[in-house]
C-alpha cells in the first residue's frame, strides 16, 4: 500500500484533543510530575555524573524522526582492516537517575514513553529525556559506549561496553539520509551505514530471521490538525534498526554468558500457525513452493501487490507471544532453555532506548558490569525479577494507546459519511466466522472490520459501504457492497 496522508478538518481538532485527554484519564496515565521528581531532575541535570573516559573525539551522529529530542543513540561507523567498527553511544540514564529516588520510583509506574498525536507522555521528565540526558548535537553527555567490531561479512567478532563522555556532532533524520544516499551525495559515514546495514540484513537472512515490511497506520499532528496515513519504512530506517539489533544481540550474548540479564523473547510459532499461513497463501494465490523456508518467501514478496500485502498482514500473527525474561543463575533463576527470539533467529535484548523504556536501563547496567568484570549492582539484581511484568504491562498499554489514537482519527474522518462506498482490500478473514473480516481502505487510510452476506474474499479488492462511524465508541464498521 503506498504512503498516503489524510487530513482531519481543523474544526474536529478540538474534539479530538478533548477525547485524547479523556483517553489518558480513562487509562490512568500519569501526565503530571510531582514537585519531588521535578526538583530531583533539576539537580541531576545540573550535576550529572561524567565518566573519566573521554570519547568526545568520535564523530557521532544521531538518526531519528524529524523533530525528535529524546535522542537515545548516536553512532560512528568506520572501517577496521577488511571489516568494520561501530561505536554506538547510548544515553546514560544512570548518570541522572538515582536508584530508589523520586525519578526512579515514578519511572517504575510509567514504564515507557507513550506517544499521542497531541504530544508524548515521557518516561522521565523532559528536563532530562529531551534535555540534559539526550544526545543532542554539540552537547557534552555521559553515555554508555559500545564498541562493536565486525568482520568483512558483517558478523560480530568483538563487543565491549564502558561509560564515556561523548559529544554528538549531527542530528539527522531518515528522509534526509535516504535522500543523500539515493542521490549519491552521502558522506563516508552514511555510505558505511548503508553498507553495514545491508551486511547485517544478510546476516539476519542467513540465520533464518525475518522482518515484515507491512505498512502501518500513523497519526501525525500537522498544520493545526491531524493526518492519518500509511507509512512504509525507508531503507535507511532498516539500516539504522540493524545497528540497534546488532547491539541488542551483543547484549544478550554478554548476559547469557554471565548467567544474569533481561531478554526480549519470542517463541517459535507452532506448526499449526504455518499450516494456516499455507492455506492463506493458497487462497490468495501467493506461490509458496514446498521446501521454500518461510523467511525466504517473505523476502520475495512485494507489499505493493494486493495479495502479497494481505499475506504479510496475516504473517503478523506469528509475532504474538513476545515478552521479557529475567534470569539470575546465582539467585536460582536460570536463563530460558531456548533464549532465541524467533523473528531474529538469535537471542536479543532491548537495551538501546533507556530514555523511553524502563527495562533497557537494567539490561545496560548488567552489561556494563559483565564487560567491566565487576559485580552487577545489588539494586539491579533486586528489581530485575519484577521488570518483565512491568514491561509487558507497559507494552499492552502502549498498544492500547496507539490503537485508540488511530481509532479516534478514523472515526472523525468518516463521521457523517455512513452509507458512502469506498474501495478496499480484504486483509484478514475470521476463520471461525468467514463472513467477518478486516478491510484496508486506500483513501482514506482506514483499517476496520467488515461484514458480508457470504465468505469475505481474502486478498481481493472490494467495494465496501460504511455502516458505522461513531466517535463516542471509536467504532468504524463496513459492509461488503461488491467484490472485485
Amino acid at each position: 500500500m503506498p504512503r498516503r496522508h489524510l487530513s482531519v478538518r481543523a474544526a474536529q481538532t478540538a474534539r479530538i484533543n478533548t477525547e485524547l485527554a479523556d483517553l489518558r484519564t480513562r487509562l490512568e496515565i500519569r501526565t503530571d510530575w510531582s514537585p519531588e521528581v521535578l526538583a530531583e531532575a533539576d539537580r541531576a541535570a545540573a550535576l550529572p555524573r561524567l565518566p573519566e573516559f573521554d570519547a568526545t573525539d568520535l564523530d557521532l551522529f544521531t538518526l531519528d524522526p524529524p523533530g525528535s529530542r529524546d535522542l537515545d543513540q548516536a553512532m560512528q561507523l568506520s572501517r577496521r582492516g577488511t571489516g568494520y567498527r561501530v561505536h554506538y553511544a547510548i544515553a546514560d540514564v544512570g548518570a541522572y537517575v538515582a536508584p530508589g529516588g523520586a525519578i526512579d520510583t515514578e519511572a517504575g509506574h510509567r514504564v515507557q514513553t507513550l506517544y499521542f498525536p497531541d504530544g508524548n507522555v515521557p518516561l522521565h521528565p523532559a528536563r532530562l529525556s529531551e534535555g540534559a540526558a539526550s544526545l543532542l548535537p554539540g552537547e557534552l553527555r555521559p553515555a554508555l559506549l559500545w564498541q562493536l567490531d565486525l568482520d568483512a561479512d558483517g558478523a560480530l567478532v568483538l563487543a565491549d561496553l564502558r561509560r564515556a563522555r561523548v559529544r554528538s556532532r549531527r542530528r539527522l533524520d531518515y528522509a534526509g539520509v535516504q535522500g543523500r544516499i539515493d542521490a549519491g551525495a552521502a558522506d563516508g559515514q552514511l555510505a558505511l551505514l548503508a553498507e553495514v546495514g545491508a551486511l547485517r540484513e544478510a546476516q539476519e537472512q542467513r540465520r533464518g530471521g525475518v522482518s515484515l515490511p507491512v505498512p502501518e497506520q500513523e497519526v501525525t499532528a500537522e498544520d493545526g490538525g491531524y493526518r492519518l496515513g500509511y507509512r512504509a519504512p525507508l531503507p535507511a530506517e532498516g539500516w539504522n534498526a540493524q545497528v540497534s539489533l546488532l547491539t541488542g544481540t551483543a547484549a544478550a550474548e554478554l548476559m547469557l554468558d554471565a548467567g544474569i540479564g533481561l531478554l526480549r523473547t519470542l517463541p517459535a510459532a507452532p506448526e499449526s500457525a504455518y499450516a494456516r499461513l499455507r492455506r492463506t497463501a493458497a487462497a490468495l494465490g501467493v506461490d509458496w513452493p514446498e521446501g521454500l523456508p518461510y523467511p525466504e518467501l517473505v523476502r520475495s514478496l512485494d507489499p505493493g501487490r494486493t495479495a502479497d500485502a494481505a499475506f504479510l498482514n496475516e504473517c503478523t500473527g506469528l509475532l504474538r507471544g513476545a515478552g521479557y525474561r529475567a534470569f539470575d543463575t546465582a539467585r536460582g533463576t536460570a536463563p530460558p532453555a531456548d533464549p532465541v527470539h524467533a523473528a531474529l533467529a538469535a537471542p536479543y535484548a532491548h537495551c538501546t532506548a533507556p530514555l523511553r523504556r524502563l527495562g533497557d536501563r537494567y539490561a545496560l547496567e548488567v552489561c556494563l558490569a559483565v564487560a567491566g568484570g565487576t559485580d552487577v549492582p545489588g539494586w539491579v539484581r533486586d528489581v530485575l525479577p519484577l521488570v518483565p511484568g512491568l514491561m509487558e504491562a507497559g507494552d499492552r498499554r502502549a498498544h492500547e494507546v496507539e490503537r485508540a489514537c488511530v481509532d479516534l482519527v478514523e472515526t472523525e474522518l468518516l463521521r457523517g459519511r455512513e452509507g458512502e462506498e469506498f474501495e478496499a482490500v480484504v486483509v484478514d478473514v475470521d476463520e471461525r466466522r468467514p463472513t467477518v473480516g478486516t478491510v484496508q481502505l486506500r483513501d482514506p487510510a482506514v483499517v476496520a472490520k467488515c461484514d458480508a452476506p457470504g465468505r469475505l474474499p481474502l486478498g481481493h479488492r472490494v467495494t465496501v459501504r460504511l455502516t458505522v462511524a461513531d466517535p463516542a465508541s471509536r467504532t468504524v464498521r463496513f459492509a461488503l457492497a461488491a467484490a472485485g
Side-chain angles (χ1 to χ4, degrees):
M1 190 72 69
R3 180 169 182 166
R4 296 184 64 88
H5 290 296
L6 287 305
S7 297
V8 176
R9 295 187 297 275
Q12 300 166 320
T13 303
R15 182 165 56 236
I16 292 177
N17 288 342
T18 298
E19 292 179 3
L20 289 171
D22 290 343
L23 174 65
R24 288 186 283 268
T25 299
R26 181 174 62 82
L27 296 179
E28 299 181 341
I29 292 171
R30 302 159 81 120
T31 58
D32 297 327
W33 302 96
S34 71
E36 293 78 13
V37 169
L38 293 176
E40 189 175 295
D42 286 340
R43 291 193 297 270
L47 293 170
R49 187 178 68 208
L50 287 172
E52 291 185 10
F53 183 69
D54 188 344
T56 54
D57 60 321
L58 293 176
D59 185 15
L60 297 168
F61 67 91
T62 59
L63 182 54
D64 295 273
S68 298
R69 289 191 59 83
D70 50 351
L71 308 182
D72 287 285
Q73 320 100 13
M75 73 181 87
Q76 176 188 281
L77 301 100
S78 58
R79 296 194 182 277
R80 184 190 63 89
T82 59
Y84 307 87
R85 173 164 291 169
V86 178
H87 281 106
Y88 203 54
I90 300 175
D92 187 1
V93 171
Y96 299 90
V97 178
I103 300 172
D104 188 35
T105 301
E106 181 65 20
H109 293 296
R110 296 187 177 223
V111 182
Q112 62 179 284
T113 296
L114 299 174
Y115 294 92
F116 292 82
D118 59 344
N120 64 12
V121 179
L123 173 63
H124 302 103
R127 178 80 168 87
L128 300 180
S129 62
E130 298 184 1
S134 178
L135 301 181
L136 297 167
E139 301 294 338
L140 181 66
R141 293 290 188 257
L144 309 175
L145 182 63
W146 287 90
Q147 178 183 309
L148 303 162
D149 288 350
L150 312 178
D151 65 17
D153 295 323
L156 181 66
V157 295
L158 180 146
D160 192 24
L161 176 64
R162 65 191 305 176
R163 282 192 153 96
R165 285 176 283 162
V166 303
R167 182 179 282 111
S168 176
R169 309 286 177 83
R170 296 181 290 169
R171 178 168 57 180
L172 305 178
D173 63 74
Y174 298 120
V177 168
Q178 191 66 55
R180 292 186 210 180
I181 291 174
D182 291 345
D187 59 33
Q189 286 238 54
L190 299 186
L192 279 175
L193 175 64
E195 188 173 333
V196 170
L199 287 171
R200 291 301 303 175
E201 288 172 343
Q203 288 284 330
E204 179 180 272
Q205 180 175 349
R206 281 193 284 274
R207 293 194 309 268
V210 60
S211 299
L212 295 177
V214 182
E216 298 178 348
Q217 287 175 291
E218 180 182 62
V219 179
T220 55
E222 188 174 324
D223 300 330
Y226 296 108
R227 292 185 180 274
L228 176 64
Y230 295 119
R231 181 181 176 281
L234 295 168
E237 293 177 69
W239 303 327
N240 185 57
Q242 285 296 328
V243 177
S244 178
L245 292 172
L246 166 66
T247 309
T249 55
E253 293 293 351
L254 275 178
M255 291 187 287
L256 285 168
D257 287 345
I260 179 172
L262 177 69
L263 299 182
R264 177 65 166 162
T265 59
L266 177 67
E271 281 303 316
S272 59
Y274 287 102
R276 179 181 182 276
L277 273 184
R278 282 198 171 274
R279 294 194 298 272
T280 300
L284 290 169
V286 172
D287 184 26
W288 189 350
E290 195 66 37
L292 180 69
Y294 163 74
E296 291 186 28
L297 171 68
V298 169
R299 279 186 281 271
S300 73
L301 301 178
D302 176 8
R305 181 174 173 266
T306 300
D308 288 4
F311 181 78
L312 288 168
N313 183 77
E314 293 293 303
C315 291
T316 60
L318 299 185
L319 303 179
R320 297 190 183 104
Y324 295 84
R325 286 288 301 275
F327 56 97
D328 187 345
T329 304
R331 293 193 177 186
T333 306
D338 181 6
V340 172
H341 187 290
L344 302 175
Y348 174 64
H350 273 164
C351 68
T352 61
L355 293 177
R356 293 171 280 167
R357 211 164 39 207
L358 178 70
D360 295 40
R361 178 186 174 202
Y362 291 89
L364 284 164
E365 291 289 349
V366 172
C367 289
L368 276 164
V370 173
T374 62
D375 292 335
V376 175
W379 65 268
V380 174
R381 303 187 85 139
D382 291 343
V383 178
L384 196 60
L386 306 177
V387 176
L390 292 172
M391 291 304 303
E392 287 164 11
D395 283 349
R396 287 193 297 271
R397 182 167 55 181
H399 294 152
E400 184 176 3
V401 165
E402 181 181 5
R403 186 64 250 170
C405 290
V406 171
D407 289 346
L408 278 175
V409 177
E410 284 184 340
T411 54
E412 291 294 352
L413 278 169
L414 296 171
R415 173 195 287 267
R417 300 176 67 179
E418 289 86 349
E420 287 189 33
E421 294 186 350
F422 302 84
E423 298 304 309
V425 174
V426 180
V427 295
D428 184 54
V429 174
D430 189 327
E431 282 197 328
R432 291 169 297 181
R433 294 187 301 157
T435 61
V436 177
T438 303
V439 293
Q440 180 172 320
L441 277 61
R442 182 175 295 270
D443 186 359
V446 168
V447 177
K449 290 294 183 183
C450 181
D451 303 292
R455 186 181 186 90
L456 275 167
L458 182 62
H460 286 226
R461 295 187 184 278
V462 295
T463 301
V464 295
R465 184 179 66 260
L466 180 64
T467 58
V468 178
D470 180 15
S473 62
R474 299 191 302 279
T475 302
V476 172
R477 201 162 187 112
F478 294 90
L480 184 67

